[in-house]
Amino acid sequence: MAIGSRFRRCLFLPGLAAGSLAAQQAGPPAPTRFTMWATAAPLAPGRALAALALTAQVNQVVLSTRLATWDDPCDASDCWPNGDVGVLAGYGMRAGGKWHIYAAAGLAQGFDDNSNFLAFPLQAEVSWRPFSFLGIGLMGYASVGTGEDQGSSQPDARSFGGVSLALQLGKVR
């Protein structure tokens, strides 16, 4: 029995020491990073597109609320913009660096000249954040609308997309 217990101690003690050393080297878990910012992406070239978004990020999970609009050429009877108001969720680079990229998708209520409808918004941003409160970059956004637009002969009149210069203000890093 004495040989067996010595053998078990020889196996157990080095394993315990190696596990303790690995735990010390790993260190504490990375702190949770929370960032929040507002993005304005005004008027894409060639079409009257604009978007405003309020976005929050915890570690790599991105949540965003967005208002995006586009405007078809109006006639004398109707010049209201078309657009959507939506909630999006997605994945982004871990916050804290000078460069940031994220993409998100979600659900929205679309509106046009004649009605409201279900829409599926998409959004992505690439930004450079030179300061902790300011970022500039490109925002791509699109919306796929459902149903037929009664006031248009175009089958995709409820869908839109564009890329605009974007300005981010808030706690961006």
Side-chain angles (χ1 to χ4, degrees), residues 50-53 64-68 84-90 102-108 119-125 139-145 159-163:
L52 294 173
S64 185
T65 58
R66 163 186 105 176
L67 167 65
D84 71 18
V85 176
V87 177
L88 300 91
Y102 82 87
L107 290 174
F120 300 98
L122 305 169
Q123 180 173 301
E125 281 189 62
M139 179 181 190
Y141 47 98
S143 186
V144 179
S159 299
F160 67 94
V163 176

Side-chain angles (χ1 to χ4, degrees), residues 78-169:
D78 185 14
C79 286
W80 289 102
N82 304 319
D84 71 18
V85 176
V87 177
L88 300 91
Y91 184 81
M93 289 176 54
R94 188 163 176 84
K98 287 196 176 202
W99 288 96
H100 188 256
I101 298 172
Y102 82 87
L107 290 174
Q109 177 173 347
F111 52 91
D112 62 16
D113 301 332
N114 303 311
S115 62
N116 294 329
F117 53 90
L118 177 65
F120 300 98
L122 305 169
Q123 180 173 301
E125 281 189 62
V126 176
S127 60
W128 175 55
R129 297 169 163 181
F131 304 105
S132 63
F133 62 91
L134 176 71
I136 55 173
L138 293 175
M139 179 181 190
Y141 47 98
S143 186
V144 179
T146 60
E148 293 182 20
D149 186 357
Q150 303 301 322
S152 175
S153 59
Q154 300 174 354
D156 63 346
R158 290 185 168 185
S159 299
F160 67 94
V163 176
S164 295
L165 290 174
L167 177 66
Q168 298 176 338
L169 291 173

Side-chain angles (χ1 to χ4, degrees), residues 32-103:
T32 300
R33 301 249 345 150
F34 175 79
T35 57
M36 185 172 183
W37 65 93
T39 302
L43 303 180
R47 201 159 182 202
L49 287 165
L52 294 173
L54 181 60
T55 306
Q57 180 172 344
V58 177
N59 293 332
Q60 293 169 316
V61 176
V62 176
L63 298 173
S64 185
T65 58
R66 163 186 105 176
L67 167 65
T69 63
W70 82 99
D71 196 15
D72 294 327
C74 62
D75 56 22
S77 66
D78 185 14
C79 286
W80 289 102
N82 304 319
D84 71 18
V85 176
V87 177
L88 300 91
Y91 184 81
M93 289 176 54
R94 188 163 176 84
K98 287 196 176 202
W99 288 96
H100 188 256
I101 298 172
Y102 82 87

